[in-house]
Amino acid sequence: MRIAIAGGSGTVGERVTRAVRKRGHEAVVLSRASGVDVRDSGAVRRALEGADAVVDVLNISTLNVDRATEFFTAATATLLDAEKVAGVGHHVALSIVGVDRAPHGYYAAKLAQERLVESGDVPWSIQRATQFHDFARQMYDGARLGPLHLAPRGRVQPVSVEEVADRLVEVVEGGPAGRVADLAGPQEESLERMVRAYARAQGAGGWVPAISLPGGLGRAQRDGSLLPGPGAILGRQTFDAWLSGPDRD
């Protein structure tokens, strides 16, 4: 198969690209780094000629709901239009477990993206996954009060990004299936513990106080709304195994 990866130069995209090639398929990377701006309809159409499927793992680093929604809806619309013209038979989108239970901020933008895919003309699959193991790093780096790092409270079930990539390729190979089973890590974790464990692994010995993030998304993170349901597919790598491995940075 000829599989295009939108966002193929990013954290998830690079791994999807490797997984696509490892399973014997041809990978086409759609990213600015590869010379294809996913919001340039002409460039996307040319890149998708002969493609059988598109895996969308695009991301934007913002917590602003308007900016995130504009990015995801514009990029998704461009992809879907180009796919229809090129005759692509399968659009696979990566989303987040619980976006419909906590439609706030970035999650609201991902939910808007899902709805575009569901209402489009290209046969589709949506794979929701929980946060990746390096969510602990993101929280450690981002949740700060002056020089002090903070540990947000939360119930999470982090999953290996490598396992997410492998699963996305499996979904492509299985053909359009709508909303497929959620993907999550092997066990529930405390986000507070994860952040502190990450700090220790980095050699940081200072105080990392716990905080409760405000707003609807913060509440959902604490009350378990973002955990997978009983029908989820569970990965194998635990957070602690990731933390002790070579890829934690």
Side-chain angles (χ1 to χ4, degrees):
M1 298 175 69
R2 190 167 196 259
I3 302 171
I5 303 98
S9 297
T11 299
V12 184
E14 286 186 346
R15 290 166 169 85
V16 173
T17 299
R18 290 200 298 266
V20 164
R21 291 170 176 159
K22 183 178 180 181
R23 295 173 77 99
H25 305 296
E26 178 185 358
V28 179
V29 175
L30 308 183
S31 71
R32 288 181 179 177
S34 68
V36 182
D37 186 332
V38 294
R39 294 205 282 185
D40 180 337
S41 58
V44 174
R45 286 180 183 178
R46 290 189 294 273
L48 292 185
E49 290 179 2
D52 299 293
V54 169
V55 180
D56 181 2
V57 291
L58 290 166
N59 191 27
I60 182 172
S61 298
T62 181
L63 296 178
N64 182 282
V65 62
D66 293 330
R67 283 189 61 206
T69 301
E70 191 278 331
F71 171 80
F72 283 119
T73 54
T76 300
T78 299
L79 283 172
L80 293 174
D81 287 346
E83 290 167 26
K84 183 178 179 181
V85 171
V88 174
H90 191 186
H91 180 98
V92 177
L94 176 63
S95 191
I96 309 171
V97 169
V99 289
D100 48 350
R101 298 190 293 271
H104 311 290
Y106 182 89
Y107 277 42
K110 291 296 290 183
L111 186 59
Q113 178 191 30
E114 284 191 5
R115 288 172 175 164
L116 268 181
V117 172
E118 292 168 351
S119 63
D121 295 321
V122 180
W124 55 274
S125 300
I126 292 175
Q127 175 67 70
R128 290 180 177 178
T130 53
Q131 297 286 355
F132 307 142
H133 292 312
D134 75 345
F135 190 48
R137 175 188 57 78
Q138 295 173 33
M139 292 294 98
Y140 179 76
D141 291 343
R144 302 185 65 170
L145 183 62
L148 196 64
H149 293 272
L150 307 173
R153 297 184 177 94
R155 299 175 61 194
V156 292
Q157 196 159 327
V159 66
S160 160
V161 66
E162 302 283 354
E163 293 175 358
V164 172
D166 288 341
R167 173 61 183 158
L168 286 169
V169 180
E170 291 175 0
V171 171
V172 171
E173 293 172 337
R179 269 281 312 281
V180 298
D182 291 347
L183 178 63
Q187 62 191 39
E188 182 179 335
E189 300 278 0
S190 160
L191 181 57
E192 177 184 345
R193 184 194 79 83
M194 287 169 56
V195 172
R196 288 172 172 162
Y198 177 82
R200 290 194 301 272
Q202 297 300 106
W207 182 41
V208 183
I211 61 165
S212 295
L213 295 178
L217 190 54
R219 288 192 299 273
Q221 191 168 271
R222 293 189 299 276
D223 69 17
S225 294
L226 306 184
L227 295 174
I233 298 170
L234 301 184
R236 299 174 302 280
Q237 187 185 50
T238 65
F239 171 75
D240 289 336
W242 170 83
L243 191 63
S244 64
D247 299 325
R248 71 162 189 254
D249 298 327

